[in-house]
Amino acid sequence: MTSDLIFDVQNVTLRFGGVISLSDVSLNHKRGEILAVIGPNGAGKTSLFNSLTGVYQPQEGSITFFGRNAKPISIIGKKAHRVSTAGVARTFQASRMFSALTTFENVKIGAESHRGIGVLGAMVKGPATRRGEKMSDARTIELLDFVGLRDKANTISASLSYGDRRRLEIARGLATNPQVLLLDEPAAGTNPAEKIQLTQLIRKVRDEMGVSILLIEHDMKLVMALAERLYVLNFGSVIAEGTPDEIRANAAVVEAYLGSTTSDAEELK
Amino acid sequence: MIASFWRNPHARRLGISIVAIAVLELMTGPPGNSEAPTAGIRESFLEASSFFGLFRTARWVVFFFVAILMFAIWTLLLWKGSRIRSGISSVLAAPRAASQRRPVRWGVGLALLVLAFMMPHIETDPFWQAAMVEQIAVYVLLAIGLNVVVGFAGLLDLGFVAFYAIGAYTTAWVTGALPTPPPFHIHFNPFFAIPMAIGIAMLAGIILGAPTLRLRGDYLAIVTLGFGEIITIFANNLYGITGGSQGSNPIPHPSLHLGPIHYVWGLKPVPYYYLTLTFVVIFLVAFSLLEHSRVGRAWTAIREDEVAAESVGINPLKYKVMAFAIGASTAGFAGVVTASQSNQIFPSSFTLQFSINILVLVIFGGMGSIAGVVIGALIIQTAYSFLLHSPPQGYQPADLYMYLGALLVIMMIFRPAGLVPSRRRKREIRLSESGEGHMDEVLTGDTP
């Protein structure tokens, strides 16, 4: 049955002119699962993310997202902001915050973006606007507490450390009230201590908020510790799927990694 | 020899001072003529002049003295600059802290408002009373409006004049001053043209914005530039509708008959000043609330990183179109004031130059800062009126844009965020200079 899925990707092909970025990719993501997509550089992981969030429009295949109440929604052809409204949140590989704004404002933008605009109300600061502000403020503080950034609420986000930026992006994504959170290399640029905290945080997001997690990661230790199931991409195609233990034993995967960076392959073993 | 001269920092500063002052000398000097095209250059340096009222000499002596003075000040600033700056900032620390407090802000705002309302009684010269409306109040209003588009939403609009023209022509239309009959053949009073002009200008903003705001940066600027030109050409060529280059028929003055209130705006500028001022205050309050609302935050988010903004569910197009329409509303109102006060409108008053003038006010004052934009517009437009009223010796009207251009160059070097910068904008400029900002590394990652 499909109702226990959150994402159902069928035979997706994405081309840029003559370059094939994703070829015939099929995968499924179960509701409440921490799923990881790994693969060497250039394998198409970020392309997959951008296709799932409506930034890229694949030419072939279908992407179905089972949103609130398991209502199926086709992602292809939808604008990125619509995908977000439907319940897909994401972070970016090179973290993309609104860098001139404070941590608090960054998260608040996420918390309030899904309500109607009410521009006239905003111009006179009517009762509905005040109520909305209060609700977003409360939600923002709650989320900053959740990710542990409460004490940095008024810091300009550009001056946060890499680890804190990841937390901020996670909080901003969660503020949109998502069903699934897509994390694009959350551990990039973080130190070992931050990595451990991040692992805990990601697990906490799934356990306490019930948000499914889909992550791309290079750090094998983190992936193997966190993911319940993995897909391996190489040259735009899925070459393997399975639990961390199965992937470790898979010859094709080791081959793919040996073909690119040896350090990754060593970590895999 | 020049190279070794240039390596010496003192000599380099002196050289730059002399060249800069020589350029200033040329700018302020007499114009040439077709018989002797170089006469202007020669006379700029050799013309007789008074050395600060002390004795007669040639201009170059005076300017050389100024260059030496500039060199001296520059050297002093390098030498003691950090001490002077820290001294100034410690003196300013108390007022700056006070300005953050809400009662102080309200107090200052109220005092300025009272001053603005008293202004026609303080300055009773008819030139200045007219200038207060035509040159200052209307331009402040336009600058506040363009600031929403350029400053808040970060969209470069070079066709702002279009909305102003639409406001003015709507006024002429509904009052029956165009060859084309007014709607339902009712000759409206210009006072009721206000909501109509604002509405039609906003509608024009939406119609123009919806297809074009998908473009970014330079492309958008070019499209808006084209729109501004199209409106002017329409006004010029649609003879049967707009009256063509001969302009509209006389537009009546507004009047208000509402229950016990009976008021007629006449030929005198002061009542128009109060009308405009009222709307300036309304727009000021509305826009500053807007800036600190979720709409303002969404604009900032889009300006800083459109992809990230979309990823949290903000529809960029919707917010951009909204900024366009809101900005256009002020231009629509300004069009009503101009049309009903000046009695007649001509296509020749709605030029690209006009759009650029308003943009200069916004950039000079500080994009995205409402206080800055108002102060910038006040300063530039007052200076401009002053030049109209009593031009100093040696000033020619044709020189105006040269000075304005020089002012902008200097601003961009020393204070790129404007006279009274918005805090967010200032931060953005600093961040992008340090390579931190939103260089469009859109969709990077391991994509091919």
Side-chain angles (χ1 to χ4, degrees), chain A residues 85 108 110-118 128-137 139, chain B residues 294 297 313 318-319:
Chain A
T85 317
K108 194 174 173 186
E112 63 195 1
S113 63
H114 287 241
R115 268 178 286 122
I117 293 177
T129 309
R130 281 167 205 264
R131 230 178 301 128
E133 292 272 327
K134 237 181 225 160
M135 270 163 56
S136 324
D137 283 353
R139 176 89 177 126
Chain B
R294 42 191 305 243
R297 276 187 294 274
K318 195 154 90 181
Y319 279 92

Side-chain angles (χ1 to χ4, degrees), chain B residues 40 106 135 142 145 157 187 192 203 217 252-253 256 264 266 296 304-305 320 327-328 420 430 432:
Chain B
W106 278 97
Q135 300 299 340
L142 287 161
D157 181 359
H187 290 251
F192 297 104
L203 193 68
H253 293 296
L256 180 62
V264 181
E304 286 200 17
D305 193 329
K320 286 179 181 177
V420 186
R430 210 176 43 226
S432 75

Side-chain angles (χ1 to χ4, degrees), chain B residues 344-360:
Chain B
Q344 224 189 341
I345 48 171
F346 301 95
S348 55
S349 14
F350 306 108
T351 56
L352 170 64
Q353 189 72 66
F354 184 89
S355 302
I356 291 176
N357 283 354
I358 309 295
L359 193 62
V360 167

Side-chain angles (χ1 to χ4, degrees), chain A residues 183-201:
Chain A
L183 302 166
D184 196 346
E185 297 201 17
T190 56
N191 63 37
E194 284 173 330
K195 254 172 219 167
I196 293 169
Q197 289 172 349
L198 206 63
T199 315
Q200 288 164 348
L201 176 63

Side-chain angles (χ1 to χ4, degrees), chain A residues 19 21 40-47 50 55-56 79-81 84-85 90 92-93 96 98-101 105 108-110 112-117 119 122-125 133 156 158 165 172 176, chain B residues 214 285-287 289-290 292-295 297-298 300-302 304-305 307-316 318-319 322 326 424 427-428 431 436-438 440-448:
Chain A
V19 183
S21 177
N41 282 326
K45 302 187 299 287
T46 298
S47 290
N50 283 335
V55 177
Y56 290 162
K79 290 261 174 64
H81 64 90
S84 160
T85 317
R90 73 174 291 185
F92 293 90
Q93 188 174 333
R96 308 179 70 132
F98 308 122
S99 22
L101 298 179
E105 287 170 312
K108 194 174 173 186
I109 286 174
E112 63 195 1
S113 63
H114 287 241
R115 268 178 286 122
I117 293 177
V119 68
M123 278 190 185
V124 294
K125 211 169 180 184
E133 292 272 327
I156 300 304
R165 289 180 190 193
R172 188 179 66 186
T176 64
Chain B
R214 292 158 211 273
V285 172
F287 290 174
L289 285 174
L290 203 57
H292 295 104
S293 74
R294 42 191 305 243
V295 180
R297 276 187 294 274
T300 313
I302 293 167
E304 286 200 17
D305 193 329
V307 175
E310 257 189 297
S311 85
V312 295
I314 292 171
N315 181 350
K318 195 154 90 181
Y319 279 92
M322 203 192 319
I326 291 171
R424 283 177 190 166
R427 240 180 260 149
E428 275 168 36
L431 288 172
E436 181 67 63
H438 54 106
D440 229 33
E441 83 249 285
V442 190
L443 321 177
T444 47
D446 56 353
T447 52

Side-chain angles (χ1 to χ4, degrees), chain A:
Chain A
M1 281 310 292
T2 49
S3 59
D4 63 334
L5 291 182
I6 191 101
F7 267 122
D8 187 12
V9 178
Q10 293 290 341
N11 312 97
V12 162
T13 297
L14 174 71
R15 290 187 215 94
F16 292 100
V19 183
I20 294 176
S21 177
L22 293 174
S23 94
D24 202 22
V25 170
S26 298
L27 57 85
N28 59 66
H29 183 189
K30 296 195 182 79
R31 193 172 285 273
E33 185 183 37
I34 300 182
L35 182 70
V37 175
I38 62 169
N41 282 326
K45 302 187 299 287
T46 298
S47 290
L48 177 68
F49 255 41
N50 283 335
S51 303
L52 289 177
T53 50
V55 177
Y56 290 162
Q57 307 292 342
Q59 285 84 357
E60 287 164 36
S62 73
I63 301 174
T64 315
F65 167 64
F66 296 89
R68 303 190 174 94
N69 308 321
K71 194 176 139 223
I73 297 161
S74 169
I75 296 289
I76 296 177
K78 280 225 165 33
K79 290 261 174 64
H81 64 90
R82 290 233 167 273
V83 176
S84 160
T85 317
V88 181
R90 73 174 291 185
T91 68
F92 293 90
Q93 188 174 333
S95 45
R96 308 179 70 132
M97 313 143 313
F98 308 122
S99 22
L101 298 179
T102 64
T103 308
F104 186 85
E105 287 170 312
N106 262 278
V107 179
K108 194 174 173 186
I109 286 174
E112 63 195 1
S113 63
H114 287 241
R115 268 178 286 122
I117 293 177
V119 68
L120 280 177
M123 278 190 185
V124 294
K125 211 169 180 184
T129 309
R130 281 167 205 264
R131 230 178 301 128
E133 292 272 327
K134 237 181 225 160
M135 270 163 56
S136 324
D137 283 353
R139 176 89 177 126
T140 305
I141 289 173
E142 190 187 315
L143 283 166
L144 287 178
D145 264 336
F146 184 81
V147 300
L149 281 178
R150 177 77 179 271
D151 53 330
K152 289 179 180 144
N154 291 320
T155 313
I156 300 304
S157 60
S159 56
L160 292 175
S161 71
Y162 274 106
D164 286 345
R165 289 180 190 193
R166 302 295 173 187
R167 289 160 182 278
L168 170 57
E169 273 197 297
I170 291 173
R172 188 179 66 186
L174 289 174
T176 64
N177 230 342
Q179 300 286 303
V180 59
L181 181 62
L182 276 59
L183 302 166
D184 196 346
E185 297 201 17
T190 56
N191 63 37
E194 284 173 330
K195 254 172 219 167
I196 293 169
Q197 289 172 349
L198 206 63
T199 315
Q200 288 164 348
L201 176 63
I202 293 170
R203 221 179 251 132
K204 203 168 113 187
V205 169
R206 200 268 310 263
D207 295 346
E208 290 180 20
M209 297 209 152
V211 175
S212 316
I213 306 278
L214 176 56
L215 87 158
I216 291 177
E217 188 49 72
H218 265 303
D219 188 306
M220 284 306 153
K221 246 199 206 138
L222 189 132
V223 171
M224 292 302 176
L226 202 53
E228 289 153 356
R229 206 155 57 90
L230 290 96
Y231 280 91
V232 185
L233 280 182
N234 197 20
F235 296 113
S237 314
V238 175
I239 57 167
E241 183 258 322
T243 63
D245 288 331
E246 288 166 3
I247 295 298
R248 255 189 224 113
N250 189 314
V253 178
V254 177
E255 166 75 37
Y257 269 88
L258 277 175
S260 59
T261 49
T262 30
S263 61
D264 275 356
E266 275 158 19
E267 274 182 54
L268 199 61
K269 285 168 188 160

Side-chain angles (χ1 to χ4, degrees), chain B residues 71-422:
Chain B
F71 169 71
I73 293 171
W74 192 351
T75 311
L76 184 75
L77 278 180
L78 283 179
W79 183 36
K80 294 264 176 183
S82 56
R83 271 182 65 185
I84 294 172
R85 237 167 290 153
S86 71
I88 291 173
S89 64
S90 71
V91 169
L92 283 181
R96 220 173 246 168
S99 78
Q100 296 297 325
R101 295 219 313 275
R102 194 168 277 188
V104 177
R105 279 173 175 250
W106 278 97
V108 171
L110 211 65
L112 289 176
L113 187 64
V114 170
L115 182 69
F117 268 94
M118 294 301 291
M119 215 52 211
H121 301 285
I122 298 168
E123 180 60 73
T124 49
D125 183 277
F127 170 84
W128 280 104
Q129 292 209 332
M132 266 182 238
V133 191
E134 293 161 21
Q135 300 299 340
I136 300 174
V138 165
Y139 279 76
V140 167
L141 192 64
L142 287 161
I144 307 172
L146 187 60
N147 181 45
V148 172
V149 182
V150 179
F152 292 171
L155 306 163
L156 184 52
D157 181 359
L158 292 180
F160 200 56
V161 69
F163 304 117
Y164 180 57
I166 287 170
Y169 272 95
T170 305
T171 313
W173 176 49
V174 299
T175 54
L178 292 185
T180 179
F184 315 115
H185 293 274
I186 304 166
H187 290 251
F188 287 93
N189 177 308
F191 193 81
F192 297 104
I194 295 173
M196 295 187 209
I198 291 179
I200 292 182
M202 288 180 90
L203 193 68
I206 294 168
I207 291 171
L208 171 70
T212 58
L213 287 172
R214 292 158 211 273
L215 303 169
R216 290 188 193 189
D218 312 351
Y219 302 100
L220 178 69
I222 290 164
V223 172
T224 54
L225 184 107
F227 183 66
E229 290 298 285
I230 287 169
I231 294 290
T232 314
I233 292 168
F234 269 12
N236 235 325
N237 292 359
L238 294 177
Y239 186 83
I241 298 174
T242 63
S245 57
Q246 293 179 355
S248 67
N249 299 324
I251 297 164
H253 293 296
S255 57
L256 180 62
H257 302 286
L258 206 77
I261 308 163
H262 292 278
Y263 192 80
V264 181
W265 278 263
L267 281 168
K268 289 224 170 94
V270 176
Y272 292 96
Y273 175 74
Y274 285 122
L275 179 69
T276 317
L277 191 60
T278 310
F279 273 81
V280 167
V281 172
I282 293 172
F283 280 122
L284 269 182
V285 172
F287 290 174
S288 46
L289 285 174
L290 203 57
E291 186 193 0
H292 295 104
S293 74
R294 42 191 305 243
V295 180
R297 276 187 294 274
W299 279 331
T300 313
I302 293 167
R303 211 171 61 208
E304 286 200 17
D305 193 329
E306 203 168 320
V307 175
E310 257 189 297
S311 85
V312 295
I314 292 171
N315 181 350
L317 187 64
K318 195 154 90 181
Y319 279 92
K320 286 179 181 177
V321 171
M322 203 192 319
F324 237 59
I326 291 171
S329 68
T330 66
F333 174 76
V336 180
V337 174
T338 311
S340 60
Q341 196 217 353
S342 64
N343 207 27
Q344 224 189 341
I345 48 171
F346 301 95
S348 55
S349 14
F350 306 108
T351 56
L352 170 64
Q353 189 72 66
F354 184 89
S355 302
I356 291 176
N357 283 354
I358 309 295
L359 193 62
V360 167
L361 301 182
V362 173
I363 293 170
F364 176 77
M367 280 192 277
S369 149
I370 295 181
V373 165
V374 172
I375 293 169
L378 283 176
I379 291 176
I380 290 193
Q381 289 305 120
T382 310
Y384 173 68
S385 311
F386 183 77
L387 288 176
L388 277 182
H389 184 247
S390 41
Q393 199 209 343
Y395 167 79
Q396 275 110 22
D399 292 352
L400 177 69
Y401 291 103
M402 194 165 65
Y403 294 125
L404 217 49
L407 180 70
L408 275 191
V409 170
I410 292 168
M411 279 297 289
M412 286 303 109
I413 294 171
F414 293 105
R415 225 178 151 79
L419 202 61
V420 186
S422 105

